[in-house]
C-alpha cells in the first residue's frame, strides 16, 4: 500500500505511463473500490487482457496512481474505465493518462475515441471538454445509482488520422 506522504508529493511530471499487467490488479482493485460506488470486479479486469484492449498504468515510482482500460474496435477506441487514486486527484494525473491513451490510439490507427461518463460527474466532464471531447448522445439509465439509475453522457473526440 502506498505511503500517504508520497501522494502529497506526486506531480504529473514525476509519472510514468506503462502497460498495466495482471500483477497490478491488487492496486487497481483498491483504487477502483475507492473511486466508484459500483466497482468492476477482478474478473472483469482479467477479461480485458486481450489483444483488442489497451490497459494503462500511471505510476509514481513503484506505486500505481491510476489506470485506464480502452477497447479497440475496428478503427474506434472506447475508453471503458479510467480512475486515479483519490489522494492524487486534481494533480493532472488523469489528464496525463488520458493524453497518453489518446496518443497511443492515434498512433495505432484509431479514428476516434468514445466514452461514457456519469451525467453527474462534473469534474470528469470538464476534463473531457477541455481536452476536446464533445457530447454526441446520452444513454438513459446507463449507470447504477443509489436512487435507481443514472444517465451517461456519450462523448467523442476525433483523433485526426
Amino acid at each position: 500500500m502506498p505511503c500517504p506522504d508520497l501522494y502529497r508529493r506526486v506531480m504529473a511530471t514525476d509519472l510514468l505511463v506503462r502497460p498495466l499487467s495482471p500483477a497490478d490488479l491488487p492496486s487497481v482493485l483498491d483504487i477502483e473500490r475507492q473511486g466508484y460506488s459500483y466497482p468492476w470486479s477482478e474478473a472483469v479486469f482479467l477479461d480485458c487482457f486481450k489483444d483488442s484492449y489497451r490497459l494503462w498504468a500511471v505510476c509514481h515510482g513503484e506505486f500505481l496512481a491510476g489506470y485506464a482500460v480502452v477497447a479497440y474496435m475496428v478503427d474506434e477506441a472506447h475508453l471503458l474505465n479510467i480512475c486515479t487514486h483519490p489522494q492524487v486527484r486534481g494533480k493532472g494525473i488523469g489528464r496525463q493518462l488520458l493524453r497518453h491513451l489518446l496518443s497511443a490510439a492515434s498512433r495505432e490507427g484509431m479514428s476516434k475515441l468514445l466514452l461514457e461518463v456519469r451525467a453527474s460527474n462534473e469534474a470528469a466532464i470538464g476534463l473531457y471538454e477541455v481536452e476536446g471531447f464533445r457530447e454526441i448522445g446520452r444513454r438513459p439509465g446507463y449507470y447504477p445509482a443509489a436512487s435507481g439509475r443514472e444517465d451517461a453522457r456519450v462523448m467523442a473526440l476525433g483523433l485526426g488520422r
Side-chain angles (χ1 to χ4, degrees):
M1 191 70 196
C3 168
D5 290 338
L6 171 71
Y7 283 121
R8 283 193 271 281
R9 296 190 313 261
V10 169
M11 303 300 283
T13 57
D14 299 329
L15 301 172
L16 168 70
V17 180
R18 62 163 173 79
L20 192 72
S21 78
D24 295 316
L25 284 181
S27 294
V28 166
L29 291 169
D30 179 54
I31 295 168
E32 179 81 1
R33 289 180 189 121
Q34 291 184 69
Y36 296 118
S37 299
Y38 301 90
W40 282 13
S41 68
E42 182 175 13
V44 170
F45 280 103
L46 285 169
D47 195 47
C48 295
F49 285 95
K50 298 177 180 171
D51 288 343
S52 60
Y53 288 77
R54 302 298 180 269
L55 291 82
W56 300 106
V58 59
C59 301
H60 182 267
E62 64 185 79
F63 299 110
L64 193 98
Y67 56 88
V69 177
V70 183
Y72 282 21
M73 296 167 276
V74 187
D75 69 339
E76 293 182 353
H78 190 165
L79 178 57
L80 301 175
N81 193 336
I82 186 168
C83 193
T84 57
H85 194 287
Q87 293 180 2
V88 297
R89 290 197 184 129
K91 297 186 180 289
I93 293 168
R95 180 181 314 275
Q96 182 173 330
L97 182 56
L98 179 64
R99 287 178 177 175
H100 176 87
L101 67 88
L102 286 167
S103 177
S106 180
R107 280 192 315 272
E108 293 189 63
M110 299 294 111
S111 64
K112 73 171 88 169
L113 187 124
L114 301 166
L115 61 86
E116 289 88 12
V117 59
R118 283 183 183 272
S120 64
N121 191 342
E122 294 176 14
I125 292 165
L127 169 64
Y128 297 138
E129 288 177 341
V130 166
E131 293 300 315
F133 285 83
R134 296 294 168 247
E135 183 172 331
I136 61 168
R138 293 226 173 195
R139 297 192 197 280
Y142 185 77
Y143 290 107
S147 59
R149 307 290 298 179
E150 181 176 356
D151 291 355
R153 292 178 63 179
V154 182
M155 303 183 83
L157 176 66
L159 299 178
R161 289 172 73 183

